Amino acid sequence: MPLEIVRNDITKMKVDAIVNAANESLLGGGGVDGAIHRAAGSGLLAECRTLGGCKTGKAKITGGYNLPAKYVIHTVGPIYNDGKHGEKVLLESCYRESLALAKEYQCETVAFPLISSGVYGYPKDQALKVAIDVISDFLLENEMMVYIVIFDKAAYKISEKLFSDIAEYIDDNYVDEHTNYSRERIRMNALPPMAPRTRRKKTDDDFLEMCDCRAMLAEDDLDAKLKQIDESFSQMLLRKIDEKGMTDAECYKKANIDRKLFSKIRSDVHYKPSKPTALAFAISLELSLAETEDMLRKAGFALSHSNKFDIIIEYFISKGNYNIFEINEALFAFDQSLLGA
Ligand code: AR6
């Protein structure tokens, strides 16, 4: 999955580069900056001293020293005032500049903290949105695995409105499921009784004829059935990509699926993806709920109202919101597994 939100201490991430939420002096501080300097050791501070500081919205790179990461990219986020002082543009620039440096140094994996969302006071839900927007834009054009590292549960917040909307949708749908089930039972009980069958004693000829017919029917049936083997998941995926006028790359990037997995699916007509992968493609292709169900069936799955994961996906599809990163934000907030590979 090219973009993943994880809960971790960024100093523990085994990636090519971690990003530091620094200040303009680049000489260390509190928060994640302090943690990174402590874990990297004094070599990091010595190298930072040679850099001559860094402007807000810009980024500079150093070695990782004692960290598991090879590089540290230091970026300086804006101090949040009231949101009307260009904070968003500066924060976007932090992510863009850091990603550009990571690319220049051929990093394949990069981990970001939520820049500016601590001491610098940027509201966490908005800080996360900026991070997701800029990183997902970048990933449309570039191959990289990017992690947004959330330090603790409290540090993570999707907007309260979205959270409560989804919570309400989950509640409603648990209830609906129950109501539908009751309705179904009432309907079944209301069916008219079946007409009694007329009986005639069967002769041996009747019996042989019946056996022959059954054998012929079974053969025909099997032939017919074999001829109508459904298109596979992979065939449906490729057909839909064509129908939507997308390129393969557009589709797998929007699905937050990496190129290697996509090639595997493309070249194996019988490939059976996991449920999150199948759903990620349905989201990327902006399929309706019915089409999504169809695509899932081809992979051997179904949407069910008995788990939150499915209901959250259904919520987004029913709202016509196919932004996989926003969906993953919500899934993360409800402690569900994320979409993608
Ligand atoms: N791993 C991942 N995330 C962390 C970690 C960690 N080990 N520690 C904190 N966070 P902050 P800022 C999260 O204050 O707002 C420094 O003094 C934290 O929960 O570190 O950009 C600098 O020198 C929060 O969500 O950075 C600057 O002076 C996020 O990292 C100033 O703070 C960023 O919080 C920069 O402030």
Side-chain angles (χ1 to χ4, degrees), residues 133-168:
D133 285 351
V134 178
I135 295 169
S136 48
D137 263 7
F138 174 85
L139 289 175
L140 286 178
E141 307 290 328
N142 298 278
E143 296 289 335
M144 201 182 275
M145 177 70 224
V146 181
Y147 298 92
I148 296 177
V149 182
I150 308 292
F151 195 39
D152 49 24
K153 180 88 177 166
Y156 180 80
K157 238 169 118 201
I158 55 171
S159 91
E160 272 165 26
K161 165 97 179 74
L162 180 62
F163 192 92
S164 64
D165 275 1
I166 295 174
E168 200 175 302

Short mmCIF file of all heavy atoms in Angstrom, two decimals, residues 133-168:
data_model
loop_
_atom_site.label_atom_id
_atom_site.label_comp_id
_atom_site.label_asym_id
_atom_site.label_seq_id
_atom_site.Cartn_x
_atom_site.Cartn_y
_atom_site.Cartn_z
N ASP A 133 -3.58 14.74 1.58
CA ASP A 133 -3.80 15.34 0.25
C ASP A 133 -2.49 15.48 -0.52
O ASP A 133 -2.39 15.08 -1.68
CB ASP A 133 -4.46 16.72 0.38
CG ASP A 133 -5.94 16.59 0.74
OD1 ASP A 133 -6.45 15.45 0.71
OD2 ASP A 133 -6.57 17.61 1.06
N VAL A 134 -1.48 16.04 0.14
CA VAL A 134 -0.22 16.28 -0.59
C VAL A 134 0.46 14.94 -0.92
O VAL A 134 0.93 14.74 -2.05
CB VAL A 134 0.74 17.19 0.21
CG1 VAL A 134 2.05 17.38 -0.54
CG2 VAL A 134 0.08 18.53 0.49
N ILE A 135 0.48 14.03 0.04
CA ILE A 135 1.17 12.76 -0.22
C ILE A 135 0.45 11.97 -1.31
O ILE A 135 1.07 11.42 -2.21
CB ILE A 135 1.27 11.91 1.09
CG1 ILE A 135 2.15 12.63 2.11
CG2 ILE A 135 1.84 10.53 0.79
CD1 ILE A 135 2.10 12.05 3.52
N SER A 136 -0.87 11.95 -1.27
CA SER A 136 -1.57 11.16 -2.29
C SER A 136 -1.41 11.80 -3.67
O SER A 136 -1.29 11.08 -4.67
CB SER A 136 -3.03 10.89 -1.94
OG SER A 136 -3.67 12.05 -1.54
N ASP A 137 -1.37 13.11 -3.75
CA ASP A 137 -1.07 13.76 -5.05
C ASP A 137 0.30 13.33 -5.56
O ASP A 137 0.46 12.99 -6.73
CB ASP A 137 -1.02 15.29 -4.85
CG ASP A 137 -2.34 15.93 -5.22
OD1 ASP A 137 -3.28 15.17 -5.48
OD2 ASP A 137 -2.42 17.18 -5.21
N PHE A 138 1.26 13.34 -4.66
CA PHE A 138 2.63 12.98 -5.05
C PHE A 138 2.66 11.53 -5.54
O PHE A 138 3.34 11.20 -6.53
CB PHE A 138 3.55 13.15 -3.82
CG PHE A 138 4.96 12.67 -4.02
CD1 PHE A 138 5.92 13.50 -4.61
CD2 PHE A 138 5.34 11.40 -3.62
CE1 PHE A 138 7.22 13.04 -4.79
CE2 PHE A 138 6.64 10.94 -3.79
CZ PHE A 138 7.59 11.77 -4.38
N LEU A 139 1.91 10.66 -4.86
CA LEU A 139 1.96 9.23 -5.20
C LEU A 139 1.29 8.92 -6.54
O LEU A 139 1.50 7.87 -7.12
CB LEU A 139 1.33 8.39 -4.09
CG LEU A 139 2.16 8.33 -2.80
CD1 LEU A 139 1.42 7.59 -1.71
CD2 LEU A 139 3.52 7.68 -3.06
N LEU A 140 0.48 9.87 -7.02
CA LEU A 140 -0.11 9.65 -8.34
C LEU A 140 0.96 9.70 -9.43
O LEU A 140 0.83 9.09 -10.48
CB LEU A 140 -1.18 10.70 -8.63
CG LEU A 140 -2.51 10.54 -7.87
CD1 LEU A 140 -3.45 11.68 -8.21
CD2 LEU A 140 -3.16 9.20 -8.20
N GLU A 141 2.03 10.43 -9.13
CA GLU A 141 3.09 10.59 -10.14
C GLU A 141 4.34 9.81 -9.79
O GLU A 141 5.25 9.71 -10.61
CB GLU A 141 3.51 12.08 -10.24
CG GLU A 141 2.38 13.06 -10.48
CD GLU A 141 1.81 12.91 -11.87
OE1 GLU A 141 2.58 12.57 -12.78
OE2 GLU A 141 0.59 13.12 -12.05
N ASN A 142 4.45 9.29 -8.58
CA ASN A 142 5.72 8.70 -8.13
C ASN A 142 5.50 7.37 -7.43
O ASN A 142 4.47 7.17 -6.79
CB ASN A 142 6.42 9.65 -7.14
CG ASN A 142 6.77 10.97 -7.79
OD1 ASN A 142 7.79 11.08 -8.46
ND2 ASN A 142 5.92 11.97 -7.60
N GLU A 143 6.51 6.51 -7.52
CA GLU A 143 6.47 5.22 -6.81
C GLU A 143 7.21 5.38 -5.49
O GLU A 143 8.42 5.63 -5.48
CB GLU A 143 7.19 4.13 -7.62
CG GLU A 143 6.57 3.81 -8.96
CD GLU A 143 5.25 3.06 -8.84
OE1 GLU A 143 5.04 2.39 -7.81
OE2 GLU A 143 4.44 3.18 -9.76
N MET A 144 6.53 5.29 -4.40
CA MET A 144 7.19 5.38 -3.09
C MET A 144 6.23 4.81 -2.06
O MET A 144 5.02 4.81 -2.27
CB MET A 144 7.48 6.85 -2.76
CG MET A 144 8.57 7.05 -1.73
SD MET A 144 8.81 8.82 -1.37
CE MET A 144 9.92 9.33 -2.67
N MET A 145 6.78 4.29 -0.97
CA MET A 145 5.92 3.82 0.12
C MET A 145 6.01 4.88 1.21
O MET A 145 7.10 5.15 1.72
CB MET A 145 6.47 2.47 0.59
CG MET A 145 5.77 1.87 1.76
SD MET A 145 4.13 1.30 1.29
CE MET A 145 3.20 1.91 2.67
N VAL A 146 4.89 5.51 1.51
CA VAL A 146 4.92 6.61 2.49
C VAL A 146 4.06 6.25 3.71
O VAL A 146 2.93 5.78 3.56
CB VAL A 146 4.40 7.92 1.86
CG1 VAL A 146 4.46 9.07 2.87
CG2 VAL A 146 5.21 8.28 0.62
N TYR A 147 4.63 6.44 4.88
CA TYR A 147 3.89 6.20 6.11
C TYR A 147 3.60 7.52 6.80
O TYR A 147 4.48 8.39 6.89
CB TYR A 147 4.71 5.34 7.09
CG TYR A 147 5.05 3.98 6.57
CD1 TYR A 147 6.24 3.76 5.87
CD2 TYR A 147 4.18 2.92 6.75
CE1 TYR A 147 6.56 2.51 5.38
CE2 TYR A 147 4.49 1.65 6.27
CZ TYR A 147 5.68 1.46 5.58
OH TYR A 147 5.98 0.21 5.09
N ILE A 148 2.39 7.66 7.30
CA ILE A 148 2.10 8.76 8.22
C ILE A 148 2.09 8.10 9.59
O ILE A 148 1.32 7.16 9.83
CB ILE A 148 0.75 9.42 7.93
CG1 ILE A 148 0.76 10.07 6.53
CG2 ILE A 148 0.43 10.48 8.99
CD1 ILE A 148 -0.57 10.68 6.12
N VAL A 149 2.99 8.56 10.45
CA VAL A 149 3.15 7.89 11.74
C VAL A 149 2.42 8.69 12.82
O VAL A 149 2.70 9.87 13.04
CB VAL A 149 4.64 7.76 12.10
CG1 VAL A 149 4.80 7.01 13.42
CG2 VAL A 149 5.38 7.02 10.98
N ILE A 150 1.47 8.04 13.44
CA ILE A 150 0.71 8.66 14.52
C ILE A 150 1.27 8.12 15.81
O ILE A 150 1.39 6.89 15.98
CB ILE A 150 -0.78 8.29 14.39
CG1 ILE A 150 -1.31 8.58 12.98
CG2 ILE A 150 -1.60 8.96 15.46
CD1 ILE A 150 -1.41 10.01 12.61
N PHE A 151 1.62 9.03 16.70
CA PHE A 151 2.35 8.61 17.90
C PHE A 151 1.43 7.93 18.91
O PHE A 151 1.74 6.89 19.46
CB PHE A 151 3.02 9.82 18.52
CG PHE A 151 4.06 9.47 19.53
CD1 PHE A 151 4.91 8.40 19.33
CD2 PHE A 151 4.22 10.23 20.67
CE1 PHE A 151 5.90 8.07 20.25
CE2 PHE A 151 5.19 9.92 21.60
CZ PHE A 151 6.03 8.84 21.38
N ASP A 152 0.32 8.55 19.18
CA ASP A 152 -0.60 7.95 20.15
C ASP A 152 -2.02 8.15 19.66
O ASP A 152 -2.28 8.95 18.76
CB ASP A 152 -0.45 8.58 21.55
CG ASP A 152 -0.48 10.08 21.46
OD1 ASP A 152 -1.03 10.60 20.49
OD2 ASP A 152 0.07 10.75 22.36
N LYS A 153 -2.92 7.39 20.25
CA LYS A 153 -4.31 7.43 19.80
C LYS A 153 -4.87 8.86 19.90
O LYS A 153 -5.56 9.33 19.01
CB LYS A 153 -5.13 6.45 20.65
CG LYS A 153 -6.58 6.38 20.31
CD LYS A 153 -6.85 5.36 19.23
CE LYS A 153 -8.35 5.28 18.97
NZ LYS A 153 -8.68 4.58 17.76
N ALA A 154 -4.52 9.55 20.98
CA ALA A 154 -5.06 10.90 21.20
C ALA A 154 -4.58 11.86 20.12
O ALA A 154 -5.25 12.84 19.81
CB ALA A 154 -4.64 11.41 22.57
N ALA A 155 -3.43 11.56 19.51
CA ALA A 155 -2.89 12.45 18.50
C ALA A 155 -3.65 12.33 17.18
O ALA A 155 -3.45 13.07 16.26
CB ALA A 155 -1.43 12.13 18.25
N TYR A 156 -4.52 11.36 17.12
CA TYR A 156 -5.20 11.08 15.88
C TYR A 156 -6.67 11.42 15.95
O TYR A 156 -7.36 10.98 16.84
CB TYR A 156 -5.06 9.60 15.54
CG TYR A 156 -5.74 9.29 14.26
CD1 TYR A 156 -5.11 9.58 13.07
CD2 TYR A 156 -7.03 8.83 14.26
CE1 TYR A 156 -5.75 9.38 11.88
CE2 TYR A 156 -7.69 8.62 13.07
CZ TYR A 156 -7.04 8.90 11.89
OH TYR A 156 -7.69 8.71 10.72
N LYS A 157 -7.12 12.19 15.02
CA LYS A 157 -8.51 12.61 15.05
C LYS A 157 -9.02 12.87 13.65
O LYS A 157 -8.47 13.71 12.95
CB LYS A 157 -8.58 13.93 15.84
CG LYS A 157 -9.50 13.89 17.04
CD LYS A 157 -9.28 15.12 17.87
CE LYS A 157 -10.53 15.94 17.94
NZ LYS A 157 -10.28 17.33 18.30
N ILE A 158 -10.04 12.15 13.21
CA ILE A 158 -10.67 12.61 11.97
C ILE A 158 -11.70 13.64 12.42
O ILE A 158 -11.99 13.74 13.61
CB ILE A 158 -11.37 11.46 11.18
CG1 ILE A 158 -12.37 10.70 12.02
CG2 ILE A 158 -10.35 10.55 10.58
CD1 ILE A 158 -13.21 9.72 11.22
N SER A 159 -12.25 14.39 11.49
CA SER A 159 -13.14 15.46 11.93
C SER A 159 -14.31 14.86 12.71
O SER A 159 -14.80 13.77 12.39
CB SER A 159 -13.63 16.27 10.73
OG SER A 159 -14.82 15.73 10.25
N GLU A 160 -14.72 15.57 13.75
CA GLU A 160 -15.77 15.01 14.61
C GLU A 160 -17.06 14.78 13.86
O GLU A 160 -17.79 13.83 14.10
CB GLU A 160 -15.98 15.92 15.82
CG GLU A 160 -15.05 15.53 16.92
CD GLU A 160 -14.93 16.55 18.01
OE1 GLU A 160 -15.89 17.32 18.19
OE2 GLU A 160 -13.88 16.56 18.66
N LYS A 161 -17.32 15.66 12.88
CA LYS A 161 -18.56 15.54 12.10
C LYS A 161 -18.52 14.21 11.33
O LYS A 161 -19.49 13.44 11.37
CB LYS A 161 -18.63 16.74 11.14
CG LYS A 161 -19.62 16.61 10.02
CD LYS A 161 -20.93 17.32 10.39
CE LYS A 161 -21.96 17.25 9.30
NZ LYS A 161 -22.60 15.96 9.14
N LEU A 162 -17.41 13.94 10.65
CA LEU A 162 -17.29 12.70 9.88
C LEU A 162 -17.41 11.50 10.81
O LEU A 162 -18.13 10.54 10.53
CB LEU A 162 -15.95 12.67 9.13
CG LEU A 162 -15.70 11.42 8.28
CD1 LEU A 162 -16.75 11.29 7.19
CD2 LEU A 162 -14.31 11.46 7.65
N PHE A 163 -16.73 11.58 11.94
CA PHE A 163 -16.75 10.46 12.89
C PHE A 163 -18.17 10.17 13.34
O PHE A 163 -18.64 9.03 13.31
CB PHE A 163 -15.85 10.79 14.10
CG PHE A 163 -15.59 9.59 14.98
CD1 PHE A 163 -14.47 8.80 14.76
CD2 PHE A 163 -16.45 9.27 16.00
CE1 PHE A 163 -14.21 7.69 15.56
CE2 PHE A 163 -16.22 8.16 16.80
CZ PHE A 163 -15.09 7.37 16.58
N SER A 164 -18.90 11.25 13.69
CA SER A 164 -20.25 10.98 14.22
C SER A 164 -21.19 10.56 13.09
O SER A 164 -22.08 9.73 13.30
CB SER A 164 -20.80 12.18 15.00
OG SER A 164 -20.95 13.25 14.13
N ASP A 165 -20.98 11.07 11.86
CA ASP A 165 -21.81 10.61 10.73
C ASP A 165 -21.63 9.12 10.50
O ASP A 165 -22.59 8.39 10.29
CB ASP A 165 -21.38 11.33 9.43
CG ASP A 165 -22.06 12.68 9.30
OD1 ASP A 165 -22.83 13.03 10.22
OD2 ASP A 165 -21.79 13.37 8.30
N ILE A 166 -20.37 8.69 10.54
CA ILE A 166 -20.11 7.27 10.27
C ILE A 166 -20.67 6.43 11.42
O ILE A 166 -21.30 5.39 11.19
CB ILE A 166 -18.60 7.01 10.09
CG1 ILE A 166 -18.11 7.73 8.84
CG2 ILE A 166 -18.33 5.52 9.95
CD1 ILE A 166 -16.62 7.66 8.62
N ALA A 167 -20.46 6.90 12.64
CA ALA A 167 -20.97 6.15 13.80
C ALA A 167 -22.49 5.98 13.68
O ALA A 167 -23.03 4.90 13.91
CB ALA A 167 -20.60 6.86 15.09
N GLU A 168 -23.15 7.05 13.25
CA GLU A 168 -24.61 7.00 13.09
C GLU A 168 -25.00 6.00 12.00
O GLU A 168 -25.91 5.21 12.15
CB GLU A 168 -25.09 8.40 12.69
CG GLU A 168 -26.54 8.66 12.94
CD GLU A 168 -26.86 10.12 12.60
OE1 GLU A 168 -26.24 11.02 13.19
OE2 GLU A 168 -27.68 10.32 11.71
#
